[in-house]
Amino acid sequence: MIDPRLESASTLSARYYTDAAVLEEENRRIFARTWQLAGRSEQVAEAGQFFTTTIAEEPVLVVRGNDGELRALSNVCRHRAGPVATGEGKRPVLQCGYHGWTYSLDGRLARTPEFDGVRDFDREHCALPRFQAAEWNELVFVNLDPRAESLRDFLGTLLDDMPRHDYRGFRLAHRKAWELDCNWKVYVDNYLEGYHIPIVHPGLFRELDYANYRTEVKRTYSIQFAPTKKAERIRTSGGDDEVRYFWIFPNLMLNVYPDNFSTNLILPLGHGRTLTLFDWYFKDPSAVKREIDETVQFSDEIQVEDIEICETVQRGLRSSTYDTGRYSPKRENGVHHFHCMYQELMGLVASPTARRP
Ligand code: FES
Ligand SMILES: [Fe+2]
């Protein structure tokens, strides 16, 4: 499939972007096996605080126990698959929204109303199945795969590659959700290269030192280094700063600035439909409203430009005349890196670096 040598490689075949059956396989092999951004630490700061989400079509409940431990539990009641929790909030026990069974915060079954007379009922085995959960940088991550490496190991050297900004205590300042008519990988591919900036983003191009824009690929993530020149709309700490755009396999982006950071979470809604969830974090959001507005407005302009090109590309990928293209060795190493990781997890190549046999 994809040649590991960038200079010789051709891009991922169009059918991976247009075939509805591929998404099911991606859920099983990629989204259910990788660390997924699930929520924020502030949502589960205290015992009993919880939030619910869905990862790879799996209903998940993240809750802080009385013992202080953060757990990701199945949000599927052991009775008849009802919702153990809905939305987010704080509760001393979790009560299913169907027939009212209750579970303690660590997932053990507590009460089963009107169940007298039932025979051979093994309550111990009715605990909610548990997934991996971990926190980093005020963010909560979940991995459905019990055998997956820890979040810390997965992120690896990312911690050293982050600029030395202290983001402790940062709070969600703004959220924006966009739905796009394209496959999730079209959006990720597009994020992973600066090659399109001169053509698609003239406003952004004016602020960047494009000649020195570069991408470094690591084991599980890549970094785009974007030096600025005369940054007027990009938030820098003044002068000719450098902005870093991180991408963490497979669907998370982390845009790092001196006084704020933002996450872009890319979620497939269907094989041709994608949700991009943008969250901005600032230290004291109420004190910097104008800065937040300006940041969001500039991001909106860029996002509108990206949406238009991504939706057009999706239509192009459906063309009977197109299957695959080539990578610019100078500008598209990040896209190539994603495609190589993708085909490895999808089992499209036998790789000696595969994490499990
Ligand atoms: S499904 Fe939960 S109590 Fe019935
Ligand atoms: Fe773009």
Side-chain angles (χ1 to χ4, degrees):
M1 279 250 339
I2 292 162
D3 196 315
R5 296 163 306 171
L6 171 61
E7 299 76 11
S8 310
S10 293
T11 61
L12 192 64
S13 167
R15 74 179 182 83
Y16 290 98
Y17 299 84
T18 59
D19 181 347
V22 169
L23 180 57
E24 209 171 299
E25 194 72 359
E26 289 173 343
N27 272 331
R28 215 163 52 78
R29 289 179 172 269
I30 296 179
F31 293 103
R33 285 183 169 180
T34 49
W35 284 97
Q36 291 291 309
L37 176 60
R40 310 184 305 282
S41 296
E42 62 173 312
Q43 293 175 286
V44 282
E46 295 167 22
Q49 274 194 297
F50 71 91
F51 65 82
T52 58
T53 186
T54 304
I55 297 170
E57 306 208 345
E58 189 66 57
V60 174
L61 153 65
V62 177
V63 58
R64 178 80 58 189
N66 289 320
D67 54 2
E69 197 168 332
L70 187 69
R71 293 178 178 86
L73 303 169
S74 167
N75 192 20
V76 178
C77 180
R78 299 298 107 183
H79 175 221
R80 279 180 37 229
V84 176
T86 311
E88 62 181 302
K90 188 176 176 185
R91 301 265 187 285
V93 289
L94 303 161
Q95 182 174 42
C96 175
Y98 201 175
H99 313 96
W101 282 22
T102 58
Y103 296 85
S104 55
L105 300 176
D106 61 5
R108 276 177 301 149
L109 182 60
R111 290 194 60 247
T112 53
E114 302 186 86
F115 236 56
D116 296 345
V118 66
R119 290 165 64 173
D120 302 326
F121 178 44
D122 185 357
R123 291 171 167 273
E124 298 296 308
H125 278 92
C126 283
L128 300 171
R130 192 171 169 183
F131 309 115
Q132 293 200 67
E135 291 172 271
W136 172 65
N137 223 16
E138 303 291 335
L139 306 173
V140 174
F141 291 80
V142 169
N143 195 319
L144 299 182
D145 182 356
R147 294 169 306 170
E149 64 185 331
S150 71
L151 177 65
R152 184 157 284 274
D153 288 347
F154 177 76
L155 294 175
T157 50
L158 182 98
L159 306 171
D160 304 320
D161 289 330
M162 284 278 285
R164 297 271 160 261
H165 308 308
D166 183 2
Y167 291 124
R168 268 173 307 174
F170 272 54
R171 291 284 170 262
L172 180 64
H174 195 79
R175 161 168 286 193
K176 201 142 189 171
W178 308 76
E179 285 190 24
L180 284 68
D181 280 323
C182 70
N183 183 270
W184 69 277
K185 298 187 293 302
V186 170
Y187 192 87
V188 172
D189 289 350
N190 176 70
Y191 179 91
L192 287 174
E193 44 89 354
Y195 195 18
H196 70 278
I197 293 174
I199 310 289
V200 175
H201 303 303
L204 176 61
F205 181 65
R206 275 194 292 278
E207 308 236 332
L208 293 177
D209 173 11
Y210 179 71
N212 290 310
Y213 191 106
R214 70 184 202 283
T215 304
E216 269 181 31
V217 305
K218 303 293 176 90
R219 187 173 67 92
T220 55
Y221 65 95
S222 60
I223 317 167
Q224 293 175 71
F225 297 89
T228 57
K229 65 164 195 225
K230 234 172 41 69
E232 283 165 5
R233 306 191 65 194
I234 297 175
R235 298 194 62 73
T236 65
S237 47
D240 297 331
D241 264 344
E242 183 180 73
V243 178
R244 292 184 195 183
Y245 305 118
F246 290 83
W247 164 79
I248 302 166
F249 182 86
N251 62 332
L252 179 64
M253 293 114 184
L254 189 61
N255 309 302
V256 174
Y257 301 88
D259 66 343
N260 76 92
F261 71 90
S262 62
T263 56
N264 311 149
L265 184 62
I266 313 307
L267 298 165
L269 297 173
H271 75 284
R273 189 116 177 116
T274 295
L275 174 70
T276 67
L277 200 56
F278 284 33
D279 284 345
W280 285 269
Y281 293 79
F282 280 76
K283 178 87 184 167
D284 187 1
S286 56
V288 286
K289 280 199 161 61
R290 192 175 55 84
E291 287 83 345
I292 295 168
D293 284 351
E294 287 171 3
T295 302
V296 172
Q297 202 187 351
F298 190 37
S299 164
D300 283 358
E301 284 175 32
I302 296 167
Q303 174 73 340
V304 166
E305 292 162 349
D306 279 326
I307 289 175
E308 190 177 341
I309 194 65
C310 285
E311 292 185 340
T312 307
V313 164
Q314 182 70 27
R315 290 191 289 275
L317 289 165
R318 287 196 206 104
S319 162
S320 62
T321 66
Y322 182 90
D323 179 37
T324 180
R326 298 293 302 271
Y327 303 99
S328 157
K330 179 174 162 67
R331 295 288 183 189
E332 291 174 295
N333 55 326
V335 186
H336 174 254
H337 170 243
F338 169 41
H339 292 174
C340 288
M341 289 187 76
Y342 175 85
Q343 69 172 355
E344 186 180 322
L345 260 80
M346 287 290 279
L348 305 174
V349 283
S351 163
T353 60
R355 274 187 286 282
R356 67 176 69 87

